[in-house]
């Protein structure tokens, strides 16, 4: 995991703090990190995850 990916995940976690992350969300995060070729890919995936939950 690159530093940029870590920052993107940390930002997503901060925006979604105050509620527990489900097992499915954890697995989705792992998959997104593994399949993201760029930081932009990861940010878009995290934005989609956040939008589908809230």
């Amino acid at each position: 995991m690159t530093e940029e990916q870590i920052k993107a995940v940390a930002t997503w976690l901060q925006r979604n703090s105050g509620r527990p992350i489900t097992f499915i969300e954890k697995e989705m995060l792992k998959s997104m990190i593994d399949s993201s070729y760029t930081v932009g890919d990861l940010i878009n995936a995290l934005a989609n995850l956040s939008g589908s939950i809230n």
Side-chain angles (χ1 to χ4, degrees):
M1 181 188 270
T2 67
E3 184 177 341
E4 290 84 12
Q5 288 172 319
I6 292 169
K7 287 178 184 177
V9 171
T11 299
W12 183 85
L13 291 171
Q14 287 174 339
R15 288 182 183 157
N16 290 285
S17 65
R19 70 167 181 81
I21 296 174
T22 66
F23 174 78
I24 292 173
E25 289 173 323
K26 288 177 189 176
E27 293 303 311
M28 290 174 73
L29 283 170
K30 289 179 199 176
S31 175
M32 283 186 262
I33 290 165
D34 291 341
S35 64
S36 295
Y37 294 105
T38 66
V39 175
D41 291 341
L42 181 60
I43 291 170
N44 288 334
L46 291 171
N48 290 335
L49 177 63
S50 181
S52 67
I53 294 169
N54 292 331

